[in-house]
């Protein structure tokens, strides 16, 4: 709870006290032997290093990450001077996590001889298991070096020996540019260069290394190309190229935009991953059919957004679909967030409604649950794109009132059949057979 006070005259005034759903802190500090890594130092510390690195990608809100932290610190202290141990807050630096395909927390990667292709760590989560795995990886690295295989990274060296495959940088010309770039459904990052340009020569190995990594990480959905602007002057003129190198981003049907980021491999890859995430599919909107659906979604994601929609008899299929479409639109809008999206029908999960204070009325309703803190917030505005956007935006910046989930735990969930997509049907009453009833005798006993 954060209390804000102001000194007004000779009085201290309390302005606000709010619980923050998303407020979190890193798991490591400068006093630990764990090296804190981020996009600014990752390339220098890890990629350009000859050392073996174990890197944990974590989220501060992740329960498993919190459990791992003391063991990770023990391992870092034990391996000090032998193997480097680092950690990336991938919740804060999500572009760096995306660059290495991080989809869950914690994820541990081993950066050995080939820094461009780290290995996934599959061992135990105790300090001893981590140390054992690190020493085994170190033995393998030393054995490779004895056998003549290169260790460390070739990143950043001039062309002729740099990391990456030059073929992954697509050569673009006046003849193939429109067909290859403008007509493509993929996103393109295009460098306009001059062969005599010193800055272009410095960029070349970085561009080449980034092209290979981006191709792997985005499955070819983001591509890097290069135009010799001294030869293909028509293209240079069309896009107003005045200096070298100039990098532009092309997306189908949109005006090209200038790339304003840094010129290192990690800077280029980070921007490419942002472009890729803009085009990834939204998270799946699931109906709460059983306890596993709720538990997995709420425990695996930072927040789970739950809607309780009116009964099908109240809205029909078209009305329900309109509500679901609003949810899908908002899930797409917030797809970069680590949030899960769920819905249920009014009355199907009464324990859940009760624990969230929805109470059997006011449908449709929406709640955002932080299952780690067992806190939730309710949508107070309209169940519309505008209303939900305002609600989620407030949550994103730590505003809005929250409450504790009833009972302090996720409630019991009933197992139900999935909605069949059709209008509701009123239940049939049992037919009453009156054929054996003598209607003339009715009421005689009352006379």
């Amino acid at each position: 709870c954060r209390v804000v006070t102001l000194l007004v005259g000779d009085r201290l005034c309390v302005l606000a006290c709010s619980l923050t759903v998303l407020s979190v802190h890193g798991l490591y500090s400068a006093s630990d032997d764990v090296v804190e890594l981020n996009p600014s130092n990752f390339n220098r510390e890890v990629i350009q290093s000859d050392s073996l690195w174990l890197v944990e990608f974590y989220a501060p809100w992740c329960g498993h990450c919190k459990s791992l932290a003391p063991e990770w610190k023990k391992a870092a202290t034990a391996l000090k001077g032998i193997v480097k141990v680092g950690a990336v807050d991938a919740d804060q630096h999500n572009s760096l996590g995306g660059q290495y395909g991080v989809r869950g927390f914690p994820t541990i990667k081993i950066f050995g001889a080939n820094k461009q292709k780290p290995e996934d760590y599959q061992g135990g989560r105790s300090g001893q298991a981590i140390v054992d795995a690190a020493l085994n990886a170190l033995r393998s690295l030393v054995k490779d070096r004895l056998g003549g295989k290169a260790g460390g990274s070739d990143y950043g060296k001039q062309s002729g020996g740099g990391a990456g495959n030059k073929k992954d940088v697509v050569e673009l010309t006046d003849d193939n540019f429109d067909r290859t770039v403008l007509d493509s459904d993929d996103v393109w990052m295009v460098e306009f260069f001059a062969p005599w340009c010193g800055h272009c020569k410095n960029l070349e190995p970085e561009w080449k290394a980034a092209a290979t990594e981006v191709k792997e990480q985005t499955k070819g959905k983001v591509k890097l190309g290069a135009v010799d602007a001294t030869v293909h002057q028509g293209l240079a003129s069309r896009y107003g190229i005045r200096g070298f190198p100039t990098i532009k981003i092309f997306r189908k049907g949109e005006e090209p935009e200038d790339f304003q980021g840094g010129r290192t491999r990690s800077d280029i890859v980070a921007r490419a991953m942002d472009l890729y995430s803009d085009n990834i599919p939204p998270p799946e909107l699931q109906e709460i059919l059983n306890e596993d659906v709720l538990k997995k979604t709420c425990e695996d994601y930072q927040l789970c957004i739950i809607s309780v929609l009116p009964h099908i008899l109240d809205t029909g299929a078209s009305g329900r679909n309109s509500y679901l479409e609003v949810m899908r639109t908002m899930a797409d809008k917030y797809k970069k967030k680590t949030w899960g999206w769920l819905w249920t029908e009014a009355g199907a999960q009464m324990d859940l409604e009760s624990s969230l204070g929805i109470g059997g009325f006011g449908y449709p309703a929406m709640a955002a649950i932080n299952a780690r803190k067992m806190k939730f917030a309710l949508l107070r505005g309209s169940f519309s794109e505008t209303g939900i956007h305002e609600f989620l935006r407030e949550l994103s910046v730590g505003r809005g009132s929250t409450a504790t989930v009833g009972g302090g735990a996720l409630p019991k969930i009933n197992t139900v059949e999935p909605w069949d997509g059709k209008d509701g049907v009123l239940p049939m009453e049992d037919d009453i057979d009156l054929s054996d009833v003598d209607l003339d005798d009715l009421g005689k006993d009352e006379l």
Side-chain angles (χ1 to χ4, degrees), residues 24 27 56 59-70 372-373:
V24 290
L27 301 182
E56 174 202 4
W61 46 261
C62 162
H64 293 303
C65 302
K66 292 177 183 176
S67 299
L68 174 63
R372 290 153 195 82
K373 297 183 177 182

Side-chain angles (χ1 to χ4, degrees), residues 59-104:
W61 46 261
C62 162
H64 293 303
C65 302
K66 292 177 183 176
S67 299
L68 174 63
E71 301 300 315
W72 197 246
K73 293 176 185 178
K74 287 180 187 176
T77 300
L79 293 167
K80 189 173 183 179
I82 304 169
V83 173
K84 299 278 191 178
V85 177
V88 175
D89 182 344
D91 190 47
Q92 180 179 358
H93 307 297
N94 52 26
S95 63
L96 195 53
Q99 186 175 320
Y100 292 101
V102 174
R103 296 291 180 266

Side-chain angles (χ1 to χ4, degrees), residues 116-156:
Q116 305 303 323
K117 291 186 178 181
E119 300 175 10
D120 289 329
Y121 171 78
Q122 303 288 359
R125 299 300 171 90
S126 67
Q128 185 63 57
I130 295 164
V131 168
D132 290 344
L135 294 178
N136 286 336
L138 187 61
R139 290 189 192 97
S140 178
L141 177 61
V142 172
K143 186 177 179 180
D144 286 345
R145 290 180 180 175
L146 283 173
K149 295 183 180 179
S153 171
D154 288 327
Y155 171 83

Side-chain angles (χ1 to χ4, degrees), residues 156-175:
K157 296 181 181 178
Q158 292 300 315
S159 57
N165 189 337
K166 193 171 184 178
K167 293 180 180 179
D168 292 330
V169 177
V170 180
E171 183 179 354
L172 299 167
T173 68
D174 286 322
D175 293 332

Side-chain angles (χ1 to χ4, degrees), residues 189-258:
M189 299 176 72
V190 179
E191 174 203 2
F192 293 82
F193 71 94
W196 45 259
C197 163
H199 292 302
C200 302
K201 292 177 182 177
N202 292 335
L203 175 61
E204 182 182 1
E206 309 289 325
W207 196 249
K208 183 174 65 172
T212 299
E213 189 165 343
V214 168
K215 180 180 179 180
E216 294 173 355
Q217 296 291 345
T218 70
K219 300 176 178 61
K221 295 298 183 182
V222 179
K223 293 181 169 65
L224 271 63
V227 175
D228 184 343
T230 65
V231 175
H232 307 289
Q233 296 180 12
L235 282 174
S237 176
R238 190 201 302 186
Y239 294 109
I241 306 303
R242 296 289 180 266
F244 307 113
T246 293
I247 300 171
K248 288 188 175 286
I249 297 167
F250 293 83
R251 285 179 272 205
K252 191 172 185 178
E254 299 181 20
E255 288 295 314
E257 68 176 270
D258 291 329

